[in-house]
Amino acid sequence: MALYKEQSLKIYNSMSGEKEIFTPINEGNIGMYVCGPTVYSNVHLGNCRTFISFDLVFRYLKHLGFKVRYVRNITDAGHLENDADSGEDRIAKKARLEQIEPMEVVQRYTVDFHNTLQKFNNLPPSIEPTATGHIVEQIETIKKILEKGFAYEVNGSVYFDVLKFDKDHNYGKLSGRTIEDMIANTRELSGQSDKKNPQDFALWKKAEPQHIMRWPSPWSDGFPGWHLECTVMSTKYLGESFDIHGGGMDLKFPHHECEIAQGEAATGKTPVNYWMHANMLTLNGQKMAKSTGNNILPNEIFTGNNPNLSKAYSPSVARFFMLQAHYRSILDFSNDALMASEKGFNRLMDTLRNIDQLPVSNTSSFSVDEWQQRCYNAMNDDFNSPILIATLFDAVKYINAIKEGDEKISQQDLELLKNTMHDFIFEVLGLVDSTIVNEDRTQKLSGTIELLIKLRAEARNNKDFATSDQIRDQLLSLGIQLKDGKEGTTFSVE
RNA sequence: GGCAUCGUGGCCGAGUGGCUAGGCAGAGCUCUGCAAAAGCUCGCACAGCGGUUCGAAUCCGCUCGAUGCCUCCA
């Protein structure tokens, strides 16, 4: 029997503002769409947090036995830097600055994006469609929206008629805004716009002569509006109504609001059942953003080459740090916090490595079943990874107590404990034990250190503490720590 | 200015109307040749002011503060 039949998953739906029991449209199958990056520069860490959050969701849904189709787009069509009718698109601008083709920009940063997410051990999505690969579909959707009367053409551009849509569809329901508020708060853009109302947004833009990324359409040579690709590609691969749509908080308005409008206008159906929004990662208390320069590149964490960091941290430590906060909370990035996470992470991994050496008893002195269910309860409660991690640390306590002889565990429960730990740490949280990444070298290293441990033990037996301490201290300065326990000495590599 | 979220012990971060979050750091103890590691014990936190309640850090109101969105951004 599939796990999802035994576990009741709740998801916080941004649309209702409440945790709701999750029920997919088709039992056992889930369609999930997440807004991907615009590939005009290196992904920064804030981007990564969002994708790690949804990787956690993807992994847990799969763990529960659902068949998940996870679609995440690549925005590679040039969109304007601002919403006025003039301005350069960001990909073209980068291309001009670096003197390369726009598609070279796209390729370069798509590769960077994939490499980086792979280091964080994110699973690739099931489908990763590009905006430029779906120009035809986007044009077809614009036609549909025009036919339904929710869009109008002006000077070769097509705009979505927000006021008309709002009359019986309630534009703003996701972000809690009303048209009246928006009108009252509109900043006049000196009136050179073709739009009927400032709230309207572009479905198709006529390209200026110097605009490089352009495609023919019934209205003009131009390019699609930014919000359109997500509507079109989610519909194409997941259907007119699908289960989960995710993205960063900053996309809630206007991007997701526009997606809802486009979808409802084109099909008359509600496109998404559960909206999920991942919160921001801040640095020095401010949002990380490419545009303000307040950001850290993932690679700078791995190398330690950033003024905010005192040392390098592995991708798994950074991932663990992020998973120690709930995805809907703002998380502030700092060197101190990362350092604390690293120590906790190492302790967790050390314990996991000791699990095979535990003494087995006839009975268990605590309930492994109950503990396992607490792990599921944490994740069932809107993917609460911090609670899950706290529960895993409870297991660390159990394991150490068993080692000390203060608790007992049966063979059967030990298997359960071990498997559950492995499932949650590696499969669900997606963490990687860095010391077992390169098995061959690790084995050679282990053999070498075991030899030194043996020599040190002999020296200690002979009361030759000068030699034994030299071995211990010099290994430590190399980042290898010896740990004397009741059943001999073990070691850990920094 | 409008909309929204948040304000928890030294730091990071969960959470529930009354019952222990967890991690890191710190103190003491056990273990150790000395350490480290590991284990055990400890700090009674919840922005401020009112209100609801038998009882609120958890619900409501106000004040202060922070952040996000309102223009491209995960």
Side-chain angles (χ1 to χ4, degrees):
Chain A
M1 188 163 84
L3 263 175
Y4 64 78
K5 291 185 180 170
E6 308 164 11
Q7 304 293 339
S8 168
L9 174 64
K10 279 189 184 169
I11 295 181
Y12 180 89
N13 190 345
S14 303
M15 183 62 87
S16 65
E18 285 171 2
K19 288 179 194 168
E20 300 173 4
I21 291 177
F22 176 70
T23 314
I25 295 167
N26 300 306
E27 198 204 309
N29 294 276
I30 294 175
M32 175 163 92
Y33 188 92
V34 172
C35 292
T38 303
V39 280
Y40 69 101
S41 66
N42 297 300
V43 259
H44 69 248
L45 198 62
N47 281 291
C48 294
R49 184 189 181 200
T50 296
F51 298 124
I52 287 170
S53 296
F54 287 105
D55 187 55
L56 175 76
V57 171
F58 183 41
R59 283 169 174 276
Y60 188 58
L61 294 175
K62 282 180 26 152
H63 175 77
L64 287 181
F66 287 110
K67 189 174 172 197
V68 188
R69 182 180 289 171
Y70 173 21
V71 180
R72 187 183 63 207
N73 64 297
I74 294 278
T75 299
D76 60 346
H79 295 299
L80 299 184
E81 288 190 296
N82 61 53
D83 200 32
D85 270 354
S86 59
E88 201 171 7
D89 91 62
R90 283 171 291 149
I91 290 171
K93 184 179 178 184
K94 188 80 175 184
R96 180 170 57 75
L97 290 174
E98 301 197 8
Q99 298 198 311
I100 53 176
E101 270 289 315
M103 271 304 178
E104 284 185 83
V105 173
V106 165
Q107 177 70 14
R108 178 179 298 174
Y109 295 112
T110 300
V111 168
D112 172 75
F113 175 66
H114 287 153
N115 283 161
T116 303
L117 288 195
Q118 196 173 20
K119 282 182 188 158
F120 279 117
N121 200 221
N122 273 21
L123 298 172
S126 324
I127 302 175
E128 193 166 49
T130 60
T132 57
H134 297 75
I135 299 293
V136 172
E137 289 89 339
Q138 294 186 69
I139 289 171
E140 290 307 307
T141 300
I142 295 171
K143 284 184 191 165
K144 259 193 219 170
I145 297 174
L146 276 167
E147 276 166 27
K148 299 273 171 81
F150 288 112
Y152 55 91
E153 184 197 343
V154 181
N155 295 331
S157 292
V158 181
Y159 295 98
F160 191 93
D161 192 337
V162 170
L163 286 188
K164 183 166 182 193
F165 175 81
D166 182 60
K167 280 189 184 132
D168 39 39
H169 284 88
N170 184 16
Y171 181 81
K173 58 190 163 224
L174 176 65
S175 54
R177 289 157 207 254
T178 65
I179 283 281
E180 292 73 34
D181 290 341
M182 282 181 247
I183 292 169
N185 288 301
T186 301
R187 291 179 213 167
E188 273 311 322
L189 293 166
S190 62
Q192 86 248 68
S193 174
D194 287 333
K195 295 177 189 175
K196 286 204 285 196
N197 301 293
Q199 289 71 38
D200 294 348
F201 56 90
L203 298 174
W204 187 263
K205 290 286 286 186
K206 181 183 178 180
E208 302 283 312
Q210 69 275 13
H211 201 101
I212 306 170
M213 301 184 91
R214 59 203 298 153
W215 294 267
S217 81
W219 312 285
S220 64
D221 271 15
F223 52 94
W226 171 47
H227 311 301
L228 192 58
E229 62 183 74
C230 291
T231 296
V232 166
M233 297 189 286
S234 61
T235 306
K236 174 162 182 170
Y237 298 111
L238 299 173
E240 292 177 345
S241 289
F242 57 95
D243 300 299
I244 298 173
H245 188 129
M249 276 288 272
D250 50 347
L251 296 183
K252 205 169 176 182
F253 187 90
H255 183 59
H256 292 330
E257 209 69 76
C258 295
E259 276 189 63
I260 294 170
Q262 289 165 339
E264 291 186 0
T267 70
K269 293 179 186 166
T270 303
V272 175
N273 284 159
Y274 300 87
W275 282 95
M276 294 182 69
H277 293 277
N279 219 136
M280 303 289 100
L281 183 67
T282 58
L283 175 62
N284 303 319
Q286 301 278 124
K287 178 188 168 187
M288 277 194 206
K290 295 177 193 177
S291 53
T292 59
N294 186 238
N295 72 68
I296 283 193
L297 296 177
N299 216 39
E300 294 172 340
I301 295 183
F302 310 152
T303 61
N305 184 23
N306 183 290
N308 291 292
L309 300 173
S310 68
K311 63 185 282 294
Y313 298 93
S314 75
S316 260
V317 167
R319 186 180 172 105
F320 183 71
F321 160 72
M322 293 188 206
L323 294 175
Q324 273 185 302
H326 185 78
Y327 77 91
R328 281 191 290 114
S329 298
I330 293 173
L331 174 62
D332 194 52
F333 183 91
S334 71
N335 190 61
D336 285 351
L338 259 192
M339 228 156 33
S341 288
E342 185 177 52
K343 291 196 177 165
F345 176 74
N346 287 148
R347 195 154 78 90
L348 189 62
M349 289 301 163
D350 283 348
T351 305
L352 208 54
R353 268 178 243 121
N354 287 332
I355 211 166
D356 285 320
Q357 279 90 259
L358 288 183
V360 179
S361 307
N362 290 329
T363 56
S364 301
S365 57
F366 61 97
S367 169
V368 177
D369 285 326
E370 204 176 282
W371 166 82
Q372 183 195 38
Q373 188 53 47
R374 283 199 290 129
C375 291
Y376 280 105
N377 290 348
M379 287 303 286
N380 290 341
D381 186 13
D382 194 32
F383 309 97
N384 200 323
S385 53
I387 296 284
L388 170 63
I389 290 171
T391 310
L392 293 174
F393 274 106
D394 285 344
V396 170
K397 276 203 171 134
Y398 286 139
I399 290 168
N400 286 323
I402 295 165
K403 212 168 78 178
E404 300 287 319
D406 294 333
E407 297 273 8
K408 288 178 179 170
I409 193 162
S410 70
Q411 181 65 46
Q412 198 185 350
D413 278 346
L414 180 61
E415 285 301 310
L416 179 63
L417 178 71
K418 186 177 155 183
N419 291 337
T420 306
M421 288 285 273
H422 276 262
D423 282 354
F424 278 103
I425 291 174
F426 299 123
E427 204 178 298
V428 175
L429 294 176
L431 300 171
V432 176
D433 185 351
S434 53
T435 61
I436 58 169
V437 166
N438 189 328
E439 226 164 288
D440 180 50
R441 288 186 67 168
T442 304
Q443 276 189 6
K444 288 174 181 165
L445 181 67
S446 304
T448 309
I449 295 172
E450 294 298 341
L451 177 66
L452 287 166
I453 287 173
K454 217 168 123 190
L455 290 173
R456 173 166 167 266
E458 283 172 19
R460 289 177 73 196
N461 280 337
N462 298 331
K463 307 263 185 221
D464 179 6
F465 296 123
T467 303
S468 68
D469 287 356
Q470 191 187 6
I471 292 172
R472 178 226 282 161
D473 296 341
Q474 288 199 4
L475 280 177
L476 185 64
S477 69
L478 289 169
I480 295 163
Q481 186 175 48
L482 299 187
K483 300 172 179 181
D484 296 328
K486 279 188 176 139
E487 291 92 31
T489 303
T490 58
F491 70 95
S492 69
V493 184
E494 195 177 276

